[in-house]
Amino acid sequence: MDQQKIDILICTKVWQPEPWVEGLSKSPLINKVHVWPTEEDLSSVKALFVWKPMDEGVVERLPNLQWVSSLGAGVDHLVNDSQIPEDIPITRIVDPFLTRDMTNYCIMGVMMYQRSMDQHKMNQSNAHWDRIGYKNLKVGVLGLGELGGHCAATLAGLGFEVSGFSRTPKTIENVDCYAGDQLAEFLSPLDVLINLLPVTPQTESILDTKLFDQMKRGAYLINVARGNHLVEADLIDSLDSGHLSGALLDVFREEPLPSEHPFWNQPKIKVTPHVASVTSPDSALKLLLKNTEKLIEGEELLNLVNRDAGY
Ligand code: NAP
Ligand code: GLV
């Protein structure tokens, strides 16, 4: 075997491994792509690519592991996995198509809400002509990273009044940026809140009654980050009381969303099945191969996760 080539293990439960295996196998940097579960000898595997969740016992089969990558933008499934030794770098996907698709989904959510599309659809079924008005909206984006920053800047470019909140201060053209202890100030004027935070101990269950109560009556929620950000019962209470007017949810504590879950039948909630932005193997493979080259050359990997921060 060429000493420079590496073996890779793909461990993906939710997505089909084939496109990843096919793309990686064509690279001159890669000796063999293994797919979990397997009885093959994995002792020469140096890189592990995971889309969640990962079975117990995977990493103990990889004595020469040097790098773990998420196959998505989120890494909550990896930073909390005690199988992965502290000194193994974890990377994630940062990809212009993933970013574009997330922004487009959020624009769709904001515009469907702004233009009362649900009501127009209902009116259509009753042959009822009602020229419902609309107003410009104040949209707030929680999390101003790769996805949130792009989403906020693009919405501002479309003419919405946009603000954003992050852990550390940011400057984004035409976006009012808040950070640190300014959460209440950020939330109070919003018509729409878009959540694009990572799940960490600080952000888990952040979308709760306390937060909703800091928003004005009638505000709308779009959660595209993770289900664990949302306290589901608090959302239902806020919708029932009319404090929030509706929600578009793409992510859930349990996925697939169980058939008996109340969200399916709540008229003020729109559900999509974790499709806001899906990694495209074609473009993500380019990044994974760039990082494979860096691993072989002994250079620092791109898009490293800060394991202490949890994202
Ligand atoms: P990212 O680049 O790591 O950005 C995270 C942002 O959140 C940063 O601005 C960060 O602040 C901020 N943040 C972190 N902790 C915070 C806290 N305690 N208080 C306030 N702000 C905090 O992540 P990303 O690539 O934009 O992705 C965001 C999330 O989207 C992912 O973690 C994933 O869960 C989700 N996602 C969902 C889908 C889908 O299809 N539904 C697709 C892709 C991703 P700093 O800038 O100050 O560090
Ligand atoms: C999808 O949820 C991702 O994190 O890429």
Side-chain angles (χ1 to χ4, degrees):
M1 182 187 100
D2 184 334
Q3 283 305 305
Q4 290 295 305
K5 290 183 168 194
I6 67 164
D7 279 24
I8 286 178
L9 175 64
I10 306 235
C11 189
T12 152
K13 280 208 169 149
V14 185
W15 298 339
Q16 294 305 315
E18 287 79 11
W20 301 95
V21 176
E22 197 183 315
L24 291 165
S25 301
K26 286 184 194 146
S27 166
L29 300 171
I30 287 162
N31 178 56
K32 183 166 171 58
V33 183
H34 305 263
V35 178
W36 186 268
T38 175
E39 295 302 317
E40 290 165 357
D41 174 15
L42 299 177
S43 58
S44 43
V45 166
K46 289 192 175 159
L48 169 62
F49 298 165
V50 188
W51 193 240
K52 49 187 196 165
M54 179 159 66
D55 288 341
E56 276 299 321
V58 174
V59 177
E60 71 188 28
R61 298 264 313 272
L62 312 175
N64 288 305
L65 183 66
Q66 293 181 2
W67 163 39
V68 178
S69 181
S70 171
L71 289 178
V75 288
D76 38 302
H77 56 299
L78 295 177
V79 287
N80 298 320
D81 191 329
S82 58
Q83 294 183 70
I84 304 171
E86 287 294 318
D87 59 336
I88 299 289
I90 298 177
T91 61
R92 67 193 193 96
I93 299 298
V94 173
D95 171 66
F97 295 101
L98 192 76
T99 304
R100 174 203 64 190
D101 292 351
M102 178 56 83
T103 293
N104 287 348
Y105 180 98
C106 294
I107 292 170
M108 173 193 74
V110 170
M111 289 196 164
M112 298 251 307
Y113 171 65
Q114 182 196 32
R115 297 309 191 100
S116 306
M117 279 310 293
D118 288 351
Q119 189 58 48
H120 285 303
K121 188 68 200 152
M122 253 166 11
N123 290 348
Q124 182 182 350
S125 56
N126 297 318
H128 176 58
W129 182 272
D130 180 5
R131 299 181 65 239
I132 303 166
Y134 59 89
K135 58 170 189 154
N136 201 11
L137 298 177
K138 287 190 170 59
V139 182
V141 183
L142 256 182
L144 291 173
E146 292 294 336
L147 304 181
H150 185 267
C151 179
T154 308
L155 284 164
L158 290 174
F160 291 99
E161 275 185 62
V162 182
S163 57
F165 181 82
S166 51
R167 197 169 56 89
T168 56
K170 297 273 174 292
T171 306
I172 304 174
E173 206 178 336
N174 298 322
V175 177
D176 288 331
C177 295
Y178 297 82
D181 60 4
Q182 298 177 307
L183 183 62
E185 211 181 318
F186 159 73
L187 291 169
S188 61
L190 300 181
D191 297 303
V192 179
L193 176 68
I194 298 174
N195 176 37
L196 272 167
L197 290 169
V199 172
T200 68
Q202 290 72 39
T203 66
E204 161 112 37
S205 299
I206 190 171
L207 303 175
D208 64 358
T209 300
K210 183 165 165 260
L211 181 140
F212 301 146
D213 285 351
Q214 294 175 76
M215 298 177 68
K216 65 185 187 197
R217 195 171 171 80
Y220 190 81
L221 173 70
I222 298 179
N223 186 22
V224 273
R226 284 290 180 266
N228 285 6
H229 286 125
L230 178 66
V231 180
E232 298 182 340
D234 287 6
L235 174 64
I236 290 181
D237 286 349
S238 284
L239 293 170
D240 285 348
S241 73
H243 185 72
L244 290 186
S245 60
L248 168 60
L249 307 176
D250 184 57
V251 285
F252 304 91
R253 283 187 182 259
E254 187 179 347
E255 294 183 6
L257 187 65
S259 55
E260 66 282 5
H261 197 286
F263 284 172
W264 287 115
N265 296 313
Q266 162 54 265
K268 293 179 180 172
I269 292 179
K270 285 193 184 61
V271 166
T272 57
H274 203 145
V275 290
S277 182
V278 181
T279 313
S280 143
D282 275 354
S283 63
L285 279 165
K286 293 191 188 100
L287 169 66
L288 291 169
L289 289 171
K290 210 182 277 179
N291 262 344
T292 302
E293 199 171 348
K294 286 188 174 291
L295 186 82
I296 291 169
E297 298 298 328
E299 293 171 13
E300 184 168 281
L301 303 176
L302 302 169
N303 306 314
L304 280 167
V305 171
N306 175 343
R307 293 183 70 171
D308 292 332
Y311 65 100

